[in-house]
Amino acid sequence: MTLLKDPMVVNALAEVVGANSLDVVGELAEEESIDEFSLAERLGMDVKVVRKILYKLYDSSLVKFKRFKDQETGWYIYMWSFENHKLKHLVEKVRRNKIVAVRTQLDKETEHQFFMCESGCTRVPFELAMSVGFICPHCSYKMDFKDNSHIIKQLEGQLKEIERTFGQ
Ligand SMILES: [Zn+2]
């Protein structure tokens, strides 16, 4: 399945639907439509687990279903299909969220000076460190200024990396 060879797709699916959705997606994407019992059988998974994954995929608009009534049993059969074209939106959404999260953290790191206690259990901005008299409220050790330029550099690198791969 070529779509599951794209690490961005695998990443987004694992993050939004869960890592256990990958096999189900791989199998679903092979078929025009398939019912959950056949899916469970093929994957050697519990049908309840498969169903849960299908609902999660449905929540993210990644699958649609058609319902038929089994004339013999009177039960409903659900035929599921994978919405391949929706994957792109999911990948972009996950990426956008990541960019926002890294930017927020980067802003916080550049706008504040950070202080850390000697035992390393607490790291807070200057204002907070001052409010506790530069004594760690958890371990009672002194809090000192801690250079955060390496953290800023790391976050900037992360941001560049995500933006570089955007829209590929
Ligand atoms: Zn501490």
Side-chain angles (χ1 to χ4, degrees):
M1 194 60 230
T2 49
L3 75 96
L4 290 182
K5 283 197 182 113
D6 181 348
M8 284 300 192
V9 169
V10 170
N11 217 332
L13 279 171
E15 208 156 295
V16 178
V17 194
N20 66 349
S21 71
L22 294 171
D23 288 342
V24 173
V25 168
E27 206 61 43
L28 262 175
E30 294 282 320
E31 303 291 335
E32 202 170 303
S33 69
I34 184 170
D35 70 284
E36 63 230 53
F37 293 99
S38 308
L39 208 49
E41 203 182 296
R42 276 195 207 176
L43 293 166
M45 286 168 87
D46 189 331
V47 70
K48 281 183 205 150
V49 176
V50 170
R51 214 172 266 151
K52 235 183 230 169
I53 293 168
L54 286 169
Y55 294 156
K56 270 198 204 162
L57 289 167
Y58 186 75
D59 278 344
S60 300
S61 312
L62 290 169
V63 290
K64 59 180 182 185
F65 64 82
K66 273 193 186 141
R67 204 174 72 152
F68 301 96
K69 197 168 187 171
D70 188 321
Q71 296 306 328
E72 277 175 41
T73 62
W75 290 61
Y76 283 106
I77 301 170
Y78 292 81
M79 295 299 286
W80 299 86
S81 336
F82 192 63
E83 300 265 79
N84 220 326
H85 59 284
K86 299 275 176 71
L87 258 181
K88 219 173 127 196
H89 299 295
L90 184 82
V91 169
E92 265 161 32
K93 199 173 102 186
V94 167
R95 252 188 215 147
R96 258 199 307 274
N97 290 347
K98 221 166 255 170
I99 288 177
V100 170
V102 175
R103 273 212 189 112
T104 306
Q105 211 188 334
L106 185 59
D107 286 346
K108 198 179 160 196
E109 291 294 333
T110 42
E111 282 164 15
H112 298 274
Q113 286 198 311
F114 283 86
F115 282 68
M116 194 157 91
C117 64
E118 282 166 7
S119 69
C121 82
T122 306
R123 183 175 174 269
V124 292
F126 171 76
E127 297 78 12
L128 255 173
M130 194 171 71
S131 75
V132 292
F134 299 98
I135 300 295
C136 176
H138 303 291
C139 69
S140 306
Y141 277 106
K142 199 159 68 82
M143 301 191 88
D144 286 318
F145 169 71
K146 185 94 179 155
D147 179 53
N148 66 347
S149 51
H150 64 290
I151 296 177
I152 291 174
K153 229 185 207 161
Q154 207 184 354
L155 289 170
E156 283 170 346
Q158 268 182 41
L159 202 55
K160 248 187 217 148
E161 183 62 27
I162 306 168
E163 283 171 338
R164 191 178 62 81
T165 49
F166 208 95
Q168 273 184 2

